[in-house]
């Protein structure tokens, strides 16, 4: 079943202006509106959050808005620049989220994420990540995912939640209580339907189609069927001008997995030849299938390093063929290197004495395309004395920068995500516990080493000005070793609660 994301940018024109650099950009605290013509009148076409909070509304005369808000910044609307900005955002999403992305003017994107959500940690993590990335760039966004473009579009714009997931098969239920304007009907048609007493989509969907079509034409039935997923609504994916891609059209539709795999191999050969001409290696490949019913499906594979190896890329793509639904047949196959980077020549081993360098990138690529890129990582050190802040996740094949953890005291190979409280009996301030109880099991301490005092990072927040921790390495009767600490120095209450926690395990 297809899964489609609608990304809604409620204040896209004003957000776009505020993201511009230089003197042309308005100050962030000043209310901003965009004006345009409604006949002979100048009216507000878009307003940022500051302007809305000041009481301004879209459609208000500009002169009235200027009278209500002194110092209001008024700029001319630029629909062409807004559309170009949406295209750039669509290209960004094409590289990072899914193979099928298109602009959804005037204020959104539509993304077919069928089969691609696992690469981002699932649908919930994918939507949250998209919204957070836009927020970090100064653009407000809301996202919804459903079985159809129409359902996702409606839920993203008429739900107040930042992210909304409509479970498969429940689009009709989710749409029933939404206003009829969510169906993307002409405003005049919406006004006419309201005059007849229709307010919600559920009310409209329960009516016989023939009288509605006789009076208003086929548009209402078409939009209802698109939203419910009864008829398909193809997404024409955006394409960059410099995108490296090859295409194969078939005189007769194909559908067998063996046939698809054979032509995948031919497309990979052609693509690698084009990449070699440009001196590039592929880091992300999108294989798009156009079916006879004018719908598209796609698979995406990624690599940790730029690759131009025909066998390797063919195998990665063929591993994904089982996810492809050919429907009634595939008419066109397109293979694109959505993300490509320079690939430089490398000196081969020149003698029998030299040892080959270990290369696990093929294994990393295979696993990443099966379980998702986020599931494969390695730990790297961070300059911090606080243990939970001294480590970060980096890509599995990220280059080594030579950084390491400092200090003479050993650290446990397994650090808990959060320190867990334990019950202990210890002589304050410097003695280790005689015993401790963790997860319902009481352990007698046989050996101990410490304390190692760690100070908090006072520059982060005031609460850490005087906070300290005293860490001990302890071993129980069974030979198991643990890393525990006391919050505080054991004497001054301002340094911590003096409660004990288990933070890591050795061995």
């Amino acid at each position: 079943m297809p899964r489609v994301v609608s990304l809604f940018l409620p204040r896209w024109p004003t957000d776009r202006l505020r993201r511009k650099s230089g003197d042309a950009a308005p100050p962030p605290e000043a209310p901003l509106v965009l004006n345009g013509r409604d006949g002979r009148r100048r009216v507000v076409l878009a307003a940022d959050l500051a302007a809305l909070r000041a009481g301004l509304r879209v459609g208000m005369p500009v002169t009235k808005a200027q009278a209500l808000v002194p110092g209001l910044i008024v700029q001319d609307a630029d629909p062409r620049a807004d559309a170009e900005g949406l295209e750039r955002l669509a290209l960004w999403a094409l590289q990072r989220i899914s193979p099928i992305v298109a602009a959804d003017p005037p204020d959104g994107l539509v993304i077919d994420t069928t089969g691609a959500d696992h690469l981002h940690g699932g649908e919930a993590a994918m939507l949250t990540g998209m919204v957070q990335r836009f927020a970090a760039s100064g653009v407000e966004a809301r996202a919804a995912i459903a079985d159809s473009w129409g359902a996702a579009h409606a839920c993203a714009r008429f739900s107040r939640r930042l992210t909304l997931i409509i479970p498969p098969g429940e689009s009709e239920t989710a749409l029933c209580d939404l206003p009829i304007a969510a169906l993307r009907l002409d405003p005049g048609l919406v006004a006419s339907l309201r005059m007849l007493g229709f307010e919600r989509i559920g009310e409209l969907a329960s009516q016989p189609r023939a009288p509605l079509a006789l009076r208003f034409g086929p548009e209402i039935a078409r939009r209802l069927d698109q939203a419910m997923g009864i008829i398909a609504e193809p997404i024409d994916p955006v394409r960059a001008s410099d995108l490296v891609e090859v295409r194969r059209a078939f005189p007769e539709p194909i559908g067998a997995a063996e046939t698809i795999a054979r032509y995948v191999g031919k497309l990979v050969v052609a693509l690698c030849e084009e990449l070699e001409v440009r001196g590039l290696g592929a880091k992300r490949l999108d294989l798009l299938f156009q079916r006879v019913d004018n719908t598209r499906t796609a698979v995406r594979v990624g690599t940790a390093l730029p690759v131009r190896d025909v066998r390797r890329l063919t195998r990665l793509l063929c591993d994904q063929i089982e996810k492809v639904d050919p429907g009634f047949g595939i008419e066109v196959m397109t293979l694109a290197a959505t993300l490509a980077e320079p690939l430089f020549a490398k000196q081969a081993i020149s003698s029998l004495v030299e040892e080959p360098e270990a290369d696990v990138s093929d294994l990393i690529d295979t696993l990443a395309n099966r379980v998702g890129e986020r599931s494969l990582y390695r730990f790297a050190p961070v300059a911090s004395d606080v243990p939970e802040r001294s480590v970060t996740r980096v890509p599995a094949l990220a280059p080594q920068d030579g950084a390491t953890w400092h200090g003479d005291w050993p650290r446990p190979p397994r650090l808990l995500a959060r320190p867990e409280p334990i019950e202990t009996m210890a002589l304050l301030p410097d003695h280790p516990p005689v015993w401790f109880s963790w997860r319902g099991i009481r352990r007698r301490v046989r050996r101990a080493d410490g304390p190692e005092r760690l100070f908090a990072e006072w520059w982060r927040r005031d609460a850490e000005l005087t906070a300290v921790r005293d860490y001990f390495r302890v071993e129980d009767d069974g030979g198991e070793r643990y890393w525990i600490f006391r919050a505080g120095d054991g004497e001054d209450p301002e340094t911590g609660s003096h409660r004990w926690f288990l933070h890591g395990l050795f061995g």
Side-chain angles (χ1 to χ4, degrees):
M1 181 174 290
R3 298 293 284 170
V4 181
V5 171
S6 178
L7 194 69
F8 174 42
L9 313 175
R11 278 174 281 279
W12 166 240
T14 56
D15 284 347
R16 179 185 64 80
L17 282 175
R18 292 201 180 279
R19 293 176 68 244
K20 290 173 60 178
S21 60
D23 297 335
E29 68 278 358
L32 168 67
V33 297
L34 303 182
N35 77 93
R37 292 285 179 179
D38 182 10
R40 295 185 177 182
R41 297 191 312 157
R42 290 173 62 219
V43 297
V44 174
L45 295 184
D48 69 353
L49 188 58
L52 294 175
R53 288 174 176 172
L56 305 186
R57 294 293 180 267
V58 174
M60 176 184 292
V62 172
T63 53
K64 182 178 179 181
Q66 290 175 318
L68 290 174
V69 181
L72 177 67
I73 297 176
V74 180
Q75 294 194 3
D76 293 332
D78 191 350
R80 181 177 178 180
D82 295 338
E84 291 175 352
L86 279 181
E87 289 290 327
R88 289 193 295 272
L89 290 181
L91 290 173
W92 172 87
L94 174 68
Q95 290 185 338
R96 292 165 175 81
I97 300 173
S98 177
I100 302 179
V101 182
D104 190 8
D107 53 13
L109 303 177
V110 57
I111 309 170
D112 188 335
T113 60
T114 308
D117 59 285
H118 74 282
L119 298 175
H120 306 280
E123 291 181 346
M126 179 178 63
L127 294 186
T128 302
M130 281 191 284
V131 170
Q132 289 178 347
R133 286 193 177 189
F134 277 93
S137 300
V139 178
E140 181 182 350
R142 299 205 298 264
I145 185 169
D147 296 337
S148 66
W149 180 352
H153 183 279
C155 293
R157 284 154 179 77
F158 291 87
S159 170
R160 296 187 178 273
R161 298 174 57 181
L162 288 180
T163 60
L164 181 62
I165 299 176
I166 308 302
E170 297 186 15
S171 295
E172 184 175 354
T173 304
L175 291 171
C176 284
D177 292 332
L178 297 181
I180 55 176
L183 287 175
R184 295 175 292 168
L185 297 171
D186 183 81
L189 183 54
V190 172
S192 299
L193 290 170
R194 284 176 175 166
M195 290 180 63
L196 296 178
F198 294 108
E199 294 290 340
R200 303 292 173 186
I201 294 178
E203 300 169 358
L204 196 60
S206 63
Q207 298 299 312
R209 297 288 181 90
L212 291 174
L214 185 63
R215 182 164 183 173
F216 299 106
E219 182 68 9
I220 296 176
R222 184 174 71 90
R223 287 301 192 189
L224 280 172
D225 289 343
Q226 286 177 342
M228 304 300 180
I230 298 175
I231 60 176
E233 188 173 6
I235 299 174
D236 188 15
V238 67
R239 280 292 179 263
S241 58
D242 59 346
L243 187 68
V244 184
E245 67 177 353
V246 292
R247 183 173 180 270
R248 184 69 178 255
F250 306 105
E252 293 292 336
I254 65 172
E258 297 80 4
T259 307
I260 296 174
R262 183 168 67 253
Y263 284 105
V264 165
K266 295 180 179 181
L267 287 174
V268 171
V269 171
L271 184 73
C272 288
E273 291 175 352
E274 181 63 25
L275 289 171
E276 186 174 5
V277 171
R278 303 192 189 190
L280 300 174
K283 287 198 67 178
R284 185 163 293 128
L285 290 180
D286 291 338
L287 183 58
L288 283 77
F289 305 89
Q290 183 171 335
R291 301 183 291 200
V292 295
D293 58 357
N294 200 30
T295 60
R296 291 180 175 87
T297 184
V299 294
R300 164 169 284 185
V301 298
T303 60
L305 300 173
V307 175
R308 207 164 55 221
D309 186 334
V310 173
R311 288 187 177 182
R312 181 168 169 181
L313 295 178
T314 301
R315 178 175 53 78
L316 290 176
L317 288 168
C318 289
D319 286 346
Q320 305 295 319
I321 289 179
E322 61 182 14
K323 301 178 182 178
V324 177
D325 179 12
F328 295 105
I330 296 171
E331 289 184 319
V332 180
M333 287 173 54
T334 303
L335 179 62
T338 311
L339 186 60
E341 295 181 359
L343 181 61
F344 303 102
K346 188 176 181 180
Q347 177 67 43
I349 295 176
S350 58
S351 71
L352 297 176
V353 179
E354 297 181 17
E355 291 290 337
E357 296 182 4
D359 184 8
V360 296
S361 60
D362 193 5
L363 174 62
I364 295 295
D365 294 342
T366 301
L367 295 176
N369 286 286
R370 291 180 181 177
V371 302
E373 296 177 359
R374 295 188 177 185
S375 300
L376 291 177
Y377 54 86
R378 62 180 178 83
F379 290 113
V382 177
S384 176
D385 286 335
V386 180
E388 57 266 32
R389 298 175 186 164
S390 65
V391 64
T392 187
R393 294 181 181 182
V394 298
L397 294 181
Q400 297 281 354
D401 57 4
T404 184
W405 287 277
H406 299 285
D408 299 329
W409 289 74
R411 293 290 183 261
R414 180 187 173 191
L415 195 69
L416 301 183
R418 293 181 179 179
E420 298 186 10
I422 57 177
E423 296 180 3
T424 65
M425 185 176 70
L427 180 63
L428 298 181
D430 296 328
H431 290 267
V434 178
W435 58 263
F436 68 93
S437 180
W438 176 53
R439 295 182 179 179
I441 301 177
R442 182 167 173 170
R443 296 168 172 84
R444 180 175 175 271
V445 175
R446 185 178 179 183
R447 294 185 180 89
D449 192 8
E452 175 192 6
R453 179 158 296 178
L454 298 181
F455 294 89
E457 297 174 339
W458 52 268
W459 57 91
R460 286 179 174 264
R461 53 178 181 169
D462 293 342
E464 298 189 27
L465 284 172
T466 59
V468 299
R469 294 178 182 175
D470 283 345
Y471 277 87
F472 293 86
R473 287 184 298 140
V474 300
E475 180 180 327
D476 66 6
D477 288 334
E480 296 181 349
R481 294 180 296 162
Y482 306 88
W483 204 40
I484 64 176
F485 72 87
R486 181 188 61 237
D489 61 5
E491 295 178 325
D492 188 354
E494 293 184 359
T495 60
S497 64
H498 292 165
R499 296 178 59 194
W500 289 83
F501 298 85
L502 190 145
H503 202 172
L505 295 89
F506 292 91

